[in-house]
Amino acid sequence: MTERVLRMVGNAHIDPVWLWQWPEGLAEVRATFRSALDRLAEYPDFVFTAGSAAHYEWVERTDPAMFEEIRARVAEGRWELVGGWWVEPDCNLPGGESFVRQALLGQRYFRSRFDRQASVGFNVDSFGHAATLPQLLRRAGLDHYVFMRPQPHELALPGEVFWWEAPDSSRVLAARLPHEYCGPRGALDGYLEAALAKLGDDWREAMLFYGVGNHGGGPTRANIDSLRSMDGMDGRPRLVLSSPGRFFAGVRGAIERGEVELPVWRGELQHHARGCYSAHSRVKRWDRTAERALLTAETLEATVALALEEEAAEDRAPARLEQAWRDVAFNQFHDVLAGTAIEPAYDDARDSYGEATAVAGRVTAAAFQRIARRIAIPLDPQMRPIVVLNPHPWPLRAVVELETGGVRDEDVLVDEEERPLPHQRIQSLATASDWRRRIAFAADLPPLGYRTYRLLSAERAAAALPATPGELRASDTVLENELLRAELDPATGWIASLRARTGRIAGLELAGEGLGRAIVLEDPSDTWSHDLVAYDRPLGAFRPVSVRLVEAGPVRATIRVDGRFGESRLVLDVSLAAGADRLDLRTTLDWRERRRVLKLRFGTALESASARATAGIPYGAIERPADGGEEPGGTWMDVSGRMATHRGPGDGRAGLTVLTDGRAGLDARGSDLGLTLVRSPIFAHHDPRLADEAAELLAYQDQGLHRLHLVLLPHGGDWRAVEPARAAAELAQPPLTLLESFHDGELALRGSFGALEGRGVTGTLKRAEDGGATIVRLVETLGRPTRASVRLPGGRYTDLDLGPWEVRTLVVPDDPARPAVESDLLEGPLSDRGPVSGPPTRSRPA
């Protein structure tokens, strides 16, 4: 019989935040790395493995001498760098670009400090893994992946070592740990026997982790001595002190020699701890807000650099944006973003997310001002200019709101050609003075461009034609324009009817049991919701105290539902804009329930048998069974199928997409979608510990005030009809507005700096990390091959093909004589690790 080899990986999984705050985590990182260095000096065959670039950066700042020792051990080959990301994040909830930045920060840090980067992705304690990760790993130089959750009782895999394939067909070699990611401090006899029992008999070479973890510690002398004594004894396998890189090298060698053929797993790796999709809803919202604010800031920074040939001001040094991304990436650590840390840890997270968002806001404001001051706006004492900017590289129509002073009801809003536009007065945020006014109007904006609207005094606008309002009618229970009609039930506060008036689904009723049903459910589970599959124990629903029309004008109309449940209050504003094909739902919730869940449910009039539930995931989408299980979502969810009562033209296929700007837990039950708004377990409560709620002073999550913006998009066909990834980006990154002054400039009153063409293609724009170029990231979001055309600020053009779900990155040099080239996610030359669809990129003059 061939000798069995068990590669023993000495490591220390360290939670920098969990049942402690980050300063304690930093101290434990230092202590653990010191211990590992001591073991390396004592045992010549010992090998240590550690990931999370943030941990190394901590040591570099606080103990430079020890950091130099680590560098020497890495160069020696006895300290293996793994992970390649800033931390071990939650692997479901961050946006797609956040995973790119985890690798950009982590791998660049490793290269700059150690002259090498990781090849093994490493997330042993994360609570599930999105289906799109293999592509993002592969294109960041991470060809291998180690994880532990979900464990075998949570997900049966075709093998514990397998090819993990993303929807775009990218593959990484993945391994699930057979038994834990950390071990006891003493001898490992029992630990080893438990692992061997889980491995079974059908293996020849396997990998087992050991070392004290979570709060740190790493391998002990007792660990290593016991491994030496057990090596090959009493029928045990050979025990080799090793690392993940060496294990995967052996597997690849066996594959190349034809000794093994591995199975392929396509799809996500779920489920563990479904409560983490909704625990501490505020941190989910902070993360979404900060990520999108940084993307807007980078887009405008790149636009100014290319279109106006202005590099960023000194007060926006690149290091400040990098630090902001580091703050966001750190807080995506799986026990922070998942909501499972202690309460004070979220004070730290709130502050650092706030710092990142503030940095992004300053960069955005400075770039916007640099653009606006270049616009030629002639002096007119009876006119007030308003510049509105679209941060997206595609055309955008949106209702924008603006707060200013001295606006009179008779003032007229006009565009660049002095064509009057409808606007309406809405509730001001400054209730102390009637001088401050807030107005809303619909803006049609060019891609990555701006328009200059103007408020004219009535006298100045005397010759202007009257504004033409859209077809918008409203009452206390009905909202209607030329495209949609919504009717609310005053007895329940639910949207009882949603009917499309035009298009393929004209006349079809899309609301079934009711849209926007605020249902409260019992939740006896711990913070993680261990062993729970679904929240399905209803206690009741919010009941309306009032249902009334609170806004009515030429731009939009809003019905407000004011509801109560127990000591909690939910105010739901349902809005329809003139000419809009969507309903906006804005919720203001004062939540006072404990160990309960609040879901908004959206019951459609689709046949349950034909219903298909789809949700956005990081840089992709996934269809899941509509079986009521709690699932992780991104920025949108959808149910599509055949209309139950279809009698008209067409095939009767339709659906409803729900966009969210800050929630991630969702479910589908047949044709009924559910979005988890809040959940109130005890902070950091882990079964089987029983909490004495009567005797202990306990903190419960999600208490107090919450605000959320949702959008309902009815459609014909399936979810692709509304391009939800683009629609969700528009919700998260609305147009920017600026009250301007009068000045000369070389820019016209209306302009576009760039554009992205290609249905369903989204993208990001940023300055290259090393300067002298712009990075363009393109993502295909509909699962279909397409052609994308990119027009960049400054007149550069690039065309390329994208395969289904493909992510491609271009480096466009500032020098127009140099062509655009494709790069990996680290902004380096594209390797030959996998095929890339489409012809070589090219540039052409405007």
Side-chain angles (χ1 to χ4, degrees):
M1 179 179 177
T2 304
E3 182 183 50
R4 290 181 175 178
V5 176
L6 192 57
R7 292 193 174 272
M8 303 299 299
V9 176
N11 82 112
H13 170 73
I14 303 174
D15 292 325
V17 178
W18 181 29
L19 305 181
W20 45 86
Q21 293 173 260
W22 69 265
E24 185 175 340
L26 187 159
E28 193 54 46
V29 167
R30 287 193 299 104
T32 299
F33 282 10
R34 178 71 268 160
S35 176
L37 289 166
D38 292 344
R39 300 295 82 75
L40 286 164
E42 295 164 354
Y43 297 91
D45 57 342
F46 173 61
V47 182
F48 185 66
T49 294
S52 296
H55 296 179
Y56 292 86
E57 194 266 345
W58 271 350
V59 173
E60 182 185 19
R61 281 193 288 115
T62 58
D63 195 336
M66 185 166 70
F67 188 75
E68 290 304 315
E69 290 184 67
I70 294 172
R71 290 182 64 185
R73 291 303 188 182
V74 170
E76 183 186 6
R78 294 180 59 205
W79 184 304
E80 182 167 298
L81 304 173
V82 294
W85 290 355
W86 195 242
V87 296
E88 294 180 42
D90 183 283
C91 290
N92 280 313
L93 305 181
E97 190 62 20
S98 282
F99 284 107
V100 173
R101 302 314 173 91
Q102 286 281 352
L104 189 65
L105 293 169
Q107 294 283 52
R108 284 178 62 88
Y109 180 85
F110 284 160
R111 282 207 307 246
S112 67
R113 299 326 193 261
F114 301 100
D115 196 28
R116 67 187 65 191
Q117 63 187 41
S119 66
V120 178
F122 187 88
N123 285 289
V124 295
D125 194 26
S126 300
F127 306 143
H129 310 265
T132 46
L133 287 186
Q135 179 180 193
L136 301 180
L137 289 162
R138 184 80 180 271
R139 298 201 177 202
L142 298 161
D143 296 331
H144 315 94
Y145 196 62
V146 180
F147 69 102
M148 190 187 77
R149 311 182 195 280
Q151 294 175 286
H153 70 281
E154 296 167 318
L155 177 67
L157 291 169
E160 298 309 289
V161 180
F162 56 93
W163 292 109
W164 186 21
E165 185 173 290
D168 80 314
S169 299
S170 298
R171 288 183 180 181
V172 295
L173 187 57
R176 177 163 63 183
L177 298 182
H179 180 65
E180 298 299 336
Y181 51 75
C182 58
R185 293 183 179 276
L188 296 177
D189 306 60
Y191 183 77
L192 181 64
E193 293 305 322
L196 291 173
K198 290 183 178 180
L199 280 170
D201 297 324
D202 189 23
W203 66 279
R204 190 171 65 186
E205 184 168 327
M207 175 171 52
L208 178 63
F209 280 33
Y210 72 99
V212 182
N214 287 338
H215 198 258
T220 65
R221 294 186 184 94
N223 289 167
I224 301 171
D225 290 342
S226 68
L227 291 177
R228 284 180 164 181
S229 67
M230 291 187 292
D231 180 18
M233 298 295 291
D234 301 325
R236 291 188 177 101
R238 282 286 317 282
L239 304 179
V240 178
L241 303 187
S242 190
S243 68
R246 296 179 188 183
F247 170 76
F248 282 117
V251 174
R252 285 187 176 273
I255 294 171
E256 292 169 2
R257 293 190 299 270
E259 297 171 0
V260 63
E261 184 175 344
L262 294 179
V264 178
W265 178 264
R266 299 176 179 89
E268 57 190 349
L269 298 170
Q270 309 292 8
H271 297 86
H272 179 83
R274 299 185 195 229
C276 294
Y277 314 148
S278 53
H280 204 293
S281 64
R282 288 186 178 92
V283 77
K284 274 73 167 173
R285 181 73 177 274
W286 298 336
D287 185 71
R288 189 82 52 85
T289 299
E291 181 200 53
R292 288 297 173 174
L294 285 167
L295 294 179
T296 296
E298 290 177 334
T299 296
L300 296 194
E301 178 193 31
T303 298
V304 167
L306 288 177
L308 306 183
E309 298 183 351
E310 287 187 17
E311 286 296 342
E314 187 60 31
D315 64 355
R316 202 245 47 96
R320 296 188 64 211
L321 268 187
E322 180 179 359
Q323 183 58 51
W325 272 113
R326 286 183 176 188
D327 287 341
V328 171
F330 180 83
N331 285 305
Q332 289 170 345
F333 178 72
H334 55 265
D335 277 315
V336 178
L337 187 54
T340 54
I342 59 173
E343 184 182 19
Y346 290 100
D347 295 336
D348 299 332
R350 175 203 60 209
D351 293 347
S352 56
Y353 272 125
E355 181 182 14
T357 304
V359 167
R362 288 192 289 271
V363 174
T364 297
F368 192 6
Q369 299 265 354
R370 289 187 179 98
I371 292 170
R373 71 177 174 82
R374 299 274 196 116
I375 301 172
I377 303 176
L379 176 64
D380 186 339
Q382 294 183 300
M383 179 265 285
R384 187 168 306 175
I386 302 167
V387 180
V388 183
L389 187 145
N390 175 14
H392 303 286
W394 54 79
L396 174 64
R397 177 179 174 82
V399 173
V400 298
E401 298 181 10
L402 178 73
E403 190 105 3
T404 184
V407 178
R408 300 179 299 174
D409 291 338
E410 60 268 25
D411 288 349
V412 177
L413 180 71
V414 299
D415 65 9
E416 308 86 2
E417 307 297 327
E418 296 212 1
R419 291 171 296 201
L421 302 172
H423 72 284
Q424 73 185 64
R425 182 179 176 182
I426 59 176
Q427 181 177 328
S428 171
L429 303 178
T431 55
S433 170
D434 194 50
W435 176 79
R436 289 289 286 183
R437 297 286 183 92
R438 191 170 185 84
I439 63 171
F441 62 95
D444 286 293
L445 303 172
L448 196 57
Y450 65 91
R451 294 186 67 179
T452 307
Y453 298 93
R454 289 168 290 170
L455 274 170
L456 305 181
S457 67
E459 298 79 11
R460 167 72 171 75
L465 296 172
T468 303
E471 182 183 343
L472 184 59
R473 295 180 294 277
S475 68
D476 283 338
T477 58
V478 175
L479 301 172
E480 186 173 14
N481 66 13
E482 60 270 34
L483 301 177
L484 289 179
R485 184 183 189 277
E487 183 173 354
L488 278 69
D489 182 347
T492 63
W494 304 341
I495 302 170
S497 173
L498 180 60
R499 188 177 296 272
R501 299 184 62 193
T502 62
R504 293 179 57 213
I505 55 173
L508 293 181
E509 177 57 66
L510 297 172
E513 185 178 350
L515 306 177
R517 308 185 329 265
I519 309 298
V520 179
L521 303 107
E522 185 180 2
D523 176 23
S525 63
D526 67 9
T527 313
W528 288 256
S529 291
H530 282 113
D531 301 322
L532 180 141
V533 174
Y535 301 108
D536 53 6
R537 300 163 68 174
L539 295 173
F542 274 80
R543 296 299 177 187
V545 175
S546 64
V547 179
R548 61 191 181 92
L549 186 69
V550 294
E551 279 186 348
V555 178
R556 75 179 180 207
T558 300
I559 296 173
R560 176 166 295 164
V561 181
D562 191 348
R564 303 288 190 278
F565 180 94
E567 297 180 5
S568 300
R569 179 184 183 187
L570 174 64
V571 176
L572 176 66
D573 284 355
V574 182
S575 298
L576 179 65
D581 59 357
R582 62 187 239 176
L583 283 181
D584 285 79
L585 275 58
R586 291 175 174 85
T587 66
T588 302
L589 171 67
D590 185 7
W591 181 248
R592 302 293 175 183
E593 310 304 312
R594 295 179 173 183
R595 306 195 78 169
R596 291 174 174 176
V597 169
L598 172 60
K599 276 187 176 283
L600 275 188
R601 301 213 64 88
F602 303 91
T604 66
L606 302 173
E607 296 172 343
S608 290
S610 69
R612 296 290 182 269
T614 307
I617 59 175
Y619 277 160
I622 191 167
E623 183 178 312
R624 299 191 180 105
D627 57 7
E630 191 77 358
E631 301 284 357
T635 54
W636 62 272
M637 59 180 182
D638 177 90
V639 62
S640 296
R642 294 187 182 278
M643 300 299 301
T645 58
H646 177 59
R647 296 290 186 274
D651 60 5
R653 291 193 58 80
L656 179 72
T657 298
V658 180
L659 312 178
T660 168
D661 70 346
R663 294 297 185 270
L666 54 91
D667 72 272
R669 301 174 184 273
S671 62
D672 190 314
L673 291 175
L675 179 67
T676 304
L677 292 193
V678 290
R679 212 183 129 237
S680 49
I682 301 167
F683 273 93
H685 174 218
H686 195 306
D687 286 338
R689 183 184 185 275
L690 297 177
D692 188 343
E693 298 182 63
E696 300 181 61
L697 182 61
L698 299 172
Y700 294 82
Q701 293 189 356
D702 280 357
Q703 301 298 292
L705 193 64
H706 302 262
R707 289 188 172 90
L708 185 68
H709 187 180
L710 307 175
V711 172
L712 307 187
L713 283 169
H715 58 78
D718 68 10
W719 55 271
R720 294 174 177 85
V722 292
E723 300 183 68
R726 282 192 172 190
E730 293 168 6
L731 174 63
Q733 295 170 267
L736 308 171
T737 61
L738 180 65
L739 286 166
E740 250 310 300
S741 56
F742 311 110
H743 43 68
D744 294 332
E746 68 272 24
L747 295 180
L749 293 174
R750 173 176 181 158
S752 171
F753 299 114
L756 170 60
E757 296 179 2
R759 190 168 184 275
V761 179
T762 65
T764 61
L765 189 69
K766 66 183 287 287
R767 294 295 287 164
E769 295 295 308
D770 295 325
T774 296
I775 303 298
V776 181
R777 187 139 29 249
L778 303 177
V779 185
E780 198 290 312
T781 67
L782 302 181
R784 295 170 175 171
T786 191
R787 182 111 175 133
S789 296
V790 181
R791 175 172 61 85
L792 292 176
R796 303 289 297 280
Y797 286 79
T798 299
D799 301 333
L800 73 163
D801 292 327
L802 289 167
W805 308 115
E806 190 173 22
V807 179
R808 296 183 71 173
T809 304
L810 306 179
V811 179
V812 184
D814 292 347
D815 183 355
R818 298 173 56 198
V821 296
E822 188 157 9
S823 79
D824 60 18
L825 296 180
L826 308 180
E827 302 180 12
L830 189 68
S831 75
D832 59 359
R833 277 188 293 270
V836 177
S837 65
T841 60
R842 62 181 183 273
S843 298
R844 63 176 186 269

